[in-house]
Amino acid sequence: MHGEYKVPGGKLVVVDLDVEDGRLRWVRVAGDFFLEPDEAILAIDAALEGAPADTDAVGLAARVEAALPAGTVMYGLTAEGVAIAVRRALAHATDWTDYDWQLVHEGPQQPALHMALDQVITEEVAAGRRPPTLRVWEWGAPSVIIGSFQSLRNEVDPEGAARHGIEVVRRISGGGAMFVEPGNTITYSLSVPDALVQGLSFQDSYAYLDDWVLGALGDMGVKAWYQPLNDIATDAGKIAGAAQKRMVGPDGGPGAVLHHVTMAYDIDADKMLEVLRIGREKLSDKGTKSAKKRVDPLRRQTGLPREAVIERMVDSFRGRYGLTAGKVGEGELARAQELARTKFSSPEWTARVP
């Protein structure tokens, strides 16, 4: 069995192993990380040898930590990263480069249609009828996107939304409300087979699926990091929020994961505060007293036009994993349009949590 895991902000960890009588055998850890002293790699292998195959990542990491020689220095490597690579080997997880990725980047569309396209495209990936897809959104109207489980009345000021012509839509994923305006927002979705995140905890899957965009931002001079559970942050403040939805495949078979990210290229903070009801409690755990200070747009941090930021992000993804141009199929679009009308534009769905 073979498993790979790139430690967020670190290096690639590779594990090869067998399982005999329910225990790990012939474990070999490798990678492009740095480790001192040399014998530490043998200690890691020995710590994992004979471990029960059902040991979770926490238990495997503890075995590794306990076995490291005194004074061990790991750079680009963590005990948790080794453990995750083991779990991914045992789960027969796939890697980014195992797939032929498709890019969908089309013209501006209405918010409800974007919600529907996320559902339809991910369902198609789960069914095996569409390759893993990176979809870059273009917004046809300003909107507030609320999470699947958020209270409508607690999140949105209806008078402020009406005054500014802001449509409110509810997405299928959890997480918090996002204030978006055309030209000020960069949003993308990843629709991926769930095999890509096998062996990862829910939290680890966020970091794993966000890692490529951290690299792309770094190439633009923005030092960003994953901030649990679902934010991308810099020293100057939050720049993006992510959300996920897991979908089962046909007849309960292997499914797919929807992972979408909204990034603040620019922001009208005064308008946002008139539309969103951002409570003090929500701000307090972010270490700031002002909603304006929570978000620091990419426009200021990169000095680049929005289109250039998107182009560089796409080029970075293509350089890492490969990416061919695609489009939404006619059947997919028809289904999405129907869902946008019957579900995502309906008061019953939008106010399903009043």
Side-chain angles (χ1 to χ4, degrees):
M1 300 177 187
H2 179 87
E4 298 185 1
Y5 178 65
K6 183 181 180 300
V7 176
K11 299 294 186 177
L12 182 69
V13 183
V14 180
V15 175
D16 292 284
L17 56 84
D18 288 331
V19 174
E20 295 178 0
D21 299 323
R23 293 187 175 272
L24 306 187
R25 299 297 182 193
W26 307 106
V27 182
R28 295 293 180 269
V29 176
D32 59 354
F33 47 79
F34 300 91
L35 180 63
E36 292 288 349
D38 283 351
E39 55 266 26
I41 192 68
L42 301 178
I44 292 173
D45 291 344
L48 297 170
E49 188 73 24
D54 59 358
T55 306
D56 63 15
V58 174
L60 293 170
R63 291 176 73 106
V64 171
E65 288 279 6
L68 292 174
T72 295
V73 176
M74 295 189 287
Y75 183 77
L77 173 70
T78 64
E80 292 77 13
V82 173
I84 290 171
V86 171
R87 294 307 316 169
R88 285 176 60 75
L90 293 167
H92 302 285
T94 56
D95 185 65
W96 295 84
T97 54
D98 291 333
Y99 300 104
D100 295 323
W101 290 89
Q102 186 173 108
L103 171 69
V104 173
H105 187 189
E106 300 181 335
Q109 291 156 323
Q110 294 301 301
L113 184 58
H114 277 306
M115 303 304 109
L117 283 169
D118 261 0
Q119 177 174 330
V120 169
I121 287 174
T122 308
E123 287 174 347
E124 290 296 289
V125 172
R129 294 187 292 264
R130 161 175 279 279
T133 300
L134 168 64
R135 183 170 75 90
V136 179
W137 304 22
E138 294 294 343
W139 291 94
S143 181
V144 167
I145 315 299
I146 60 175
S148 180
F149 311 107
Q150 287 189 295
S151 162
L152 178 61
R153 69 166 66 98
N154 288 346
E155 297 299 325
V156 182
D157 184 319
E159 293 181 359
R163 183 165 59 252
H164 293 291
I166 305 291
E167 180 182 359
V168 180
V169 294
R170 186 184 295 274
R171 61 181 183 266
I172 59 175
S173 62
M178 306 299 294
F179 173 75
V180 301
E181 292 184 288
N184 282 358
T185 307
I186 297 173
T187 304
Y188 67 85
S189 301
L190 287 169
S191 297
V192 307
D194 62 7
L196 184 63
V197 296
Q198 285 297 306
L200 300 177
S201 69
F202 191 73
Q203 177 173 317
D204 288 333
S205 73
Y206 274 85
Y208 185 69
L209 294 176
D210 282 339
D211 189 64
W212 73 273
V213 81
L214 300 184
L217 290 169
D219 292 340
M220 288 181 268
V222 178
K223 183 180 179 181
W225 59 84
Y226 163 72
Q227 183 169 294
L229 170 65
N230 61 332
D231 287 349
I232 297 174
T234 70
D235 285 332
K238 174 181 172 179
I239 57 173
Q244 287 186 5
K245 176 68 176 178
R246 308 295 175 102
M247 297 184 183
V248 298
D251 302 320
V257 177
L258 167 65
H259 179 92
H260 44 200
V261 174
T262 293
M263 313 181 80
Y265 173 72
D266 205 348
I267 193 165
D268 186 333
D270 291 324
K271 186 186 295 185
M272 178 184 73
L273 292 176
E274 293 180 27
V275 175
L276 292 183
R277 289 175 168 158
I278 301 177
R280 292 181 181 178
E281 183 137 347
K282 181 182 291 187
L283 293 176
S284 66
D285 70 353
K286 306 298 182 182
T288 180
K289 296 181 180 179
S290 169
K292 292 184 182 181
K293 295 179 180 178
R294 279 192 64 199
V295 180
D296 193 75
L298 284 172
R299 180 178 182 178
R300 187 194 67 78
Q301 295 200 46
T302 64
L304 296 170
R306 175 181 177 273
E307 293 74 17
V309 174
I310 292 174
E311 182 179 1
R312 293 196 184 191
M313 288 170 55
V314 169
D315 285 347
S316 180
F317 191 102
R318 183 182 291 112
R320 286 168 174 249
Y321 311 126
L323 190 63
T324 58
K327 63 180 181 179
V328 177
E330 291 183 5
E332 293 172 329
L333 181 59
R335 286 175 53 209
Q337 289 171 332
E338 178 68 10
L339 274 175
R341 182 182 66 82
T342 60
K343 177 179 179 178
F344 293 103
S345 296
S346 70
E348 292 80 13
W349 170 257
T350 304
R352 77 184 189 102
V353 182

